Amino acid sequence: MKRTEPEKVSRLLKDLIKDNDLLKLAEAHEELGRLWETIPDATFSNLSLELKLSTDGVLEILCPSSVSLNYVRLRRPLLESHLSGFMQKHGISCLVFSLKN
C-alpha cells in the first residue's frame, strides 16, 4: 500500500498561476486593486474608475466622464510614479486613458 502526503492548496495554486496566463492576469489585477487604494491623491477613490489589464502589456483606465478623464490625464505623472514598480514587475509598457462606453 502506497502512502501519500497531502499537498497544500496554496502551493498547488502557485503552480497553476505559473502555468496559466489568465490566472497570472487575475493575480496582477488583484494586486493592482490593492495598490490603487494607496494612491496619495484622495480624489481617485471618488472617481469610479475602471482598471483593465491585458496580456499585451496594456493598463487601461476607463473614466465615466470627460471631467474625470481630464483629471486623470493631468495626474498622469503621479500615476506613473506610483505604479512604476507594478508595471515593471508585470511587463506593462503602456498606460491608456479613455472614456467608458
Side-chain angles (χ1 to χ4, degrees), residues 19 28 51 59-60:
D19 297 335
L51 308 173
L59 170 57
E60 186 175 8

Side-chain angles (χ1 to χ4, degrees), residues 48-64:
S48 301
L49 303 173
E50 188 176 315
L51 308 173
K52 290 175 71 176
L53 285 173
S54 73
T55 55
D56 300 336
V58 176
L59 170 57
E60 186 175 8
I61 299 175
L62 300 171
C63 304

Side-chain angles (χ1 to χ4, degrees), residues 38-51:
T38 64
I39 293 176
D41 185 345
T43 306
F44 282 103
S45 62
N46 298 326
L47 290 179
S48 301
L49 303 173
E50 188 176 315
L51 308 173

Side-chain angles (χ1 to χ4, degrees), residues 3-63:
R3 181 180 169 148
T4 60
E5 293 293 323
E7 293 187 54
K8 293 185 178 184
V9 173
S10 60
R11 193 174 84 204
L12 291 172
L13 287 175
K14 285 181 184 179
D15 291 342
L16 281 174
I17 289 171
K18 289 178 186 174
D19 297 335
N20 190 326
D21 287 338
L22 182 61
L23 292 176
K24 284 181 190 176
L25 193 62
E27 182 183 41
H29 199 276
E30 185 178 319
E31 183 181 340
L32 176 61
R34 289 190 305 268
L35 183 62
W36 190 263
E37 293 173 359
T38 64
I39 293 176
D41 185 345
T43 306
F44 282 103
S45 62
N46 298 326
L47 290 179
S48 301
L49 303 173
E50 188 176 315
L51 308 173
K52 290 175 71 176
L53 285 173
S54 73
T55 55
D56 300 336
V58 176
L59 170 57
E60 186 175 8
I61 299 175
L62 300 171
C63 304

